[in-house]
Amino acid sequence: MAATTTDEILSELPLKALHEAASARFGGFAGWNMPITYPLGVLKEHLHTREKAGLFDISHMKLILVTGPEAAKALARACPLDPAALEESQSKYTFLLDDEAGILDDLIVTRLGGTRFMVVANAGNAAQDVARLTEVAAGFDATVEPLERVFLALQGPAAEAAIAKAGLAIGHLTFMHGTEPKPGWFASRSGYTGEDGFEVALPLDAAEAFAKALLADENVEWIGLAARDSLRLEAGLCLHGNDITPQTTPVEAGLMWAVAKPVRETGGFIGAEALKAALAAGASRKRVGLKPEGRQPVRGGAALFDAEGNPAGSVTSGGFGPSFGAPVAMGYVSAPLAQAGTQLFADVRGNRVPVSVHPLPFTPHRYRKG
């Protein structure tokens, strides 16, 4: 998780009192005062999510509604995406790129209707994303509306049953599909842990009762930001600001699967020419999984070296993977060193810790694809 300076004024979650009642330990993240852990502890919170169902308060993230006759055209200009090609209810992972194809943020766009799209943005980039989308939409017959919602994620094999028991009939959704189950609500079958699960945004006046209904299920526990980070790292999912930044392109990050071939070739999105050039040139460095030897985690920022002691790259995220049963990490290495099994060394406080390039994800995804 990215650090937040201690003198920063932090935004508070609307359901803060519920987290306090659950004895959460709070900390700053992306400008928000977030629950980091609960009494269960990071290790058990992580394993509980993999085995049953973890409830995450992700209200720090931003929902942005884009509507209007030219909403699809506006989004196609803003992102390397063909929104008009999405089926109704279909979600797609995409980006906001700068003119050099650097990743300003990663987003999920869901088509809710012919002229209605929901965009989910990261907390730390929310204000810039709203400004970028508003600026782009000004050239089209489209409206950008940031929403104030409580946003909850329920992840794990028991999530579908718990959602149904709480009275929300969205079990018919398959992975990367979304809907508006009630006025002012948005729900999708997606998540950030590698597990089957749902993300539900809803108005504040309904949120506390819904959260309590979910928590009434014995399989559901609050899960903090620390376990969310270890879950997503095991799942090989990027954290913007760490694993992807404006200094990295989707080519280097191995995320070109998110850009359909016709969009790569003919799309008129911001950064299109730079992305095309980066793809043609090939990546000089690549994002890879890294498995440290032994039990000592290797953290983000650690420099990597090859067997001869030459600089080889750097670690962008790292920690212990409770389900994997060993330290896990992610980082960038020069392209010739990106093959699985390549032996490297990470500098940890002056010590060279052996690490090997490892296929991602560390734990298999268990999405419900229908």
Side-chain angles (χ1 to χ4, degrees):
M1 295 176 292
T4 300
T5 55
T6 54
D7 57 352
E8 184 179 359
I9 297 174
L10 300 173
S11 299
E12 298 289 355
L13 295 172
L15 297 184
K16 181 182 178 183
L18 275 188
H19 301 298
E20 289 177 330
S23 302
R25 182 173 67 81
F26 289 82
F29 175 75
W32 288 78
N33 188 28
M34 296 292 293
I36 304 299
T37 61
Y38 297 85
L40 202 58
V42 179
L43 179 68
K44 290 182 178 177
E45 289 174 34
H46 179 114
L47 295 174
H48 183 91
T49 303
R50 294 264 185 254
E51 295 164 3
K52 295 180 179 178
L55 181 61
F56 304 77
D57 191 334
I58 54 172
S59 303
H60 60 309
M61 299 181 70
K62 194 67 182 177
L63 288 101
I64 307 165
L65 193 60
V66 182
T67 57
E70 294 189 315
K73 290 183 177 178
L75 285 169
R77 174 61 181 155
C79 307
L81 175 71
D82 183 5
L86 296 179
E87 299 171 1
E88 193 166 318
S89 94
Q90 186 179 0
S91 304
K92 191 84 166 64
Y93 177 77
T94 188
F95 318 97
L96 289 174
L97 302 176
D98 63 19
D99 291 337
E100 304 304 318
I103 302 173
L104 298 174
D105 200 8
D106 58 340
L107 314 169
I108 291 183
V109 175
T110 302
R111 186 171 200 171
L112 296 170
T115 60
R116 186 176 178 84
F117 296 85
M118 187 69 79
V119 178
V120 177
N122 284 304
N125 303 320
Q128 299 94 311
D129 292 356
V130 170
R132 165 63 73 101
L133 290 171
T134 301
E135 180 184 353
V136 171
F140 299 89
D141 187 357
T143 301
V144 174
E145 180 187 359
L147 303 178
E148 296 300 326
R149 296 286 186 274
V150 170
F151 201 14
L152 301 172
L154 188 68
Q155 300 281 294
E160 180 176 331
I163 283 275
K165 200 182 296 184
L168 194 59
I170 54 174
H172 63 284
L173 293 174
T174 54
F175 180 60
M176 293 300 277
H177 283 77
T179 187
E180 294 175 290
K182 301 178 185 183
W185 289 50
F186 169 71
S188 62
R189 194 157 199 158
S190 60
Y192 196 47
T193 62
E195 297 296 324
D196 179 34
F198 302 87
E199 295 186 340
V200 180
L202 68 168
L204 176 59
D205 59 5
E208 183 173 332
F210 182 65
K212 287 181 175 177
L214 291 172
L215 290 163
D217 188 314
E218 63 181 7
N219 288 320
V220 176
E221 292 281 353
W222 279 122
I223 306 297
L225 208 59
R228 181 172 166 84
D229 197 53
S230 58
L231 287 159
R232 72 92 191 165
L233 182 53
E234 280 187 342
L237 303 174
C238 294
L239 175 64
H240 191 270
N242 286 36
D243 311 300
I244 49 176
T245 72
Q247 285 70 50
T248 53
T249 71
V251 179
E252 296 167 313
L255 297 174
M256 284 304 296
W257 55 265
V259 186
K261 191 174 179 183
V263 175
R264 298 178 193 181
E265 295 175 346
T266 62
F269 56 91
I270 296 170
E273 291 306 312
L275 186 61
K276 201 181 297 183
L279 194 58
S284 61
R285 60 175 188 148
K286 294 184 177 180
R287 179 173 63 92
V288 296
L290 297 163
K291 181 183 179 303
E293 287 185 14
R295 304 290 286 179
Q296 181 179 10
V298 173
R299 305 293 181 183
L304 293 168
F305 298 88
D306 66 14
E308 284 72 45
N310 302 308
S314 61
V315 176
T316 52
S317 292
F320 188 78
S323 305
F324 188 66
V328 293
M330 195 186 298
Y332 285 83
V333 299
S334 57
L337 300 174
Q339 291 295 318
T342 300
Q343 184 73 59
L344 299 171
F345 297 87
D347 186 291
V348 179
R349 295 185 295 276
N351 296 318
R352 296 291 169 94
V353 176
V355 302
S356 58
V357 175
H358 191 280
L360 291 173
F362 291 95
T363 55
H365 294 163
R366 299 197 290 185
Y367 304 134
R368 188 71 56 83
K369 296 189 174 179

